[in-house]
Every structure is written in C-alpha cells, then in structure tokens.
C-alpha cells in the first residue's frame, strides 16, 4: 500500500515589496531593450525559501543549508537550461526600496549580468525581514530562469 501524496505546499502571495522589485527589474530591462521577465510562483517559492534559509543561517550565500547547489535548488523549482540568482542584504534604515536594491545590483558586474541577461525570461523574488548578525533588515533573493 502506498502512502498518499503530500499536500501541496502553500505559496504565500507576492508582497508589495516583492512586486515592486519585479517591476523595477522589468523597468531596467526595458530601458536596455530587453523583454520583461515573467513572475512565476515556483521560482517565488524557491526565492522565499532561500531568503528564509539565509536568515536562519545568518549568512548571505548562494549555497543552501541542505547542501543543495544553486543549480539543484533552482532545477527543483522548475528552472530550465539557463538560470541566475542575485542576492541582497538591506539593513533596516538603509533605504531598501526596489529602486535602491536594483541600482545596487546594477552597480555590480556579476549581478548586472544576471539582470540584463536576455535569455532569462522568468523570475521569482523572495524578500523577508529578519536578523543577520546584530543587524535587522531584509534578505532578498531573486531567482531567474530561461
């Protein structure tokens, strides 16, 4: 006798701040002649889980506490052939609005390359408030896929 399948994982709705980040990413992509990325719940859920994991571990990293690589983590979230991830830590009071975060990513060559990669078509953003070290703020993950 087989056990029944587990119930589906509830996906929290995208917050206003997460929506604003997706909009700002797409605004920048349009300014550079690129198509907008489309929000997907699977990548959103993966990004949220990763932001939560970083807060629990007190560490801003692409690695995960379960030992999964970035590629394995995103593949399980439905990422296709090509994928990318950008992370941010926005301490409370540092100006953590969408424009500020996306501008910060654009000022980093590796983050800019992900944001402006025309082969990436889907995105999920996870932005969670918590502590990292003695600082409180937002851990932000944006996961992209072709």
């Amino acid at each position: 006798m087989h056990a029944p399948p587990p119930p589906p994982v509830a996906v929290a709705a995208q917050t206003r701040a997460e929506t604003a980040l997706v909009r700002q990413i797409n605004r920048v992509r349009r300014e550079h002649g690129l198509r907008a990325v489309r929000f997907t719940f699977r990548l959103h859920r993966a990004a949220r889980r990763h932001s939560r994991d970083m807060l629990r571990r007190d560490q801003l990293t692409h690695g995960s506490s379960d030992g999964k690589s970035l590629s394995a983590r995103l593949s399980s979230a439905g990422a296709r052939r090509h994928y990318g991830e950008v992370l941010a830590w926005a301490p409370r009071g540092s100006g953590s609005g969408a424009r500020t975060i996306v501008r910060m990513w654009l000022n980093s060559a590796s983050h800019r390359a992900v944001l402006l990669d025309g082969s990436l078509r889907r995105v999920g953003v996870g932005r969670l408030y918590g502590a990292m070290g003695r600082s409180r703020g937002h851990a932000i993950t944006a996961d992209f896929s072709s």
Side-chain angles (χ1 to χ4, degrees):
M1 184 171 206
H2 297 291
V9 176
V11 178
Q14 192 177 19
T15 66
R16 283 186 191 150
E18 291 165 340
T19 300
L21 278 163
V22 173
R23 284 186 180 140
Q24 188 62 30
I25 289 167
N26 281 330
R27 184 173 295 128
V28 166
R29 287 174 64 91
R30 277 191 307 276
E31 289 170 1
H32 287 86
L34 299 170
R35 282 201 280 177
V37 287
R38 183 174 47 93
F39 171 83
T40 69
F41 278 105
R42 287 184 75 186
L43 288 172
H44 169 63
R45 183 173 54 223
R48 278 256 183 104
R49 284 180 179 157
H50 191 65
S51 289
R52 185 175 299 110
D53 188 48
M54 289 190 300
L55 289 170
R56 284 185 186 140
R57 294 173 65 202
D58 201 29
Q59 190 175 53
L60 191 68
T61 178
H62 294 285
S64 60
S65 62
D66 62 6
K68 278 189 177 179
S69 66
L70 171 63
S71 63
R73 188 165 43 82
L74 293 183
S75 289
S76 67
R80 298 191 180 141
R81 300 172 308 278
H82 189 62
Y83 55 84
E85 180 175 76
V86 293
L87 307 174
W89 170 248
R92 182 177 60 199
S94 66
S96 62
R99 281 187 178 173
T100 301
I101 298 301
V102 172
R103 190 176 319 119
M104 179 181 65
W105 284 334
L106 289 171
N107 288 329
S108 158
S110 60
H111 292 88
R112 181 183 185 88
V114 173
L115 292 178
L116 300 180
D117 185 333
S119 70
L120 298 174
R121 302 276 191 249
R122 301 178 304 144
V123 69
V125 174
R127 177 186 169 123
L128 295 175
Y129 186 78
M132 204 166 285
R134 293 182 179 190
S135 177
R136 295 196 62 77
H138 290 93
I140 304 163
T141 302
D143 287 332
F144 295 82
S145 173
S146 56

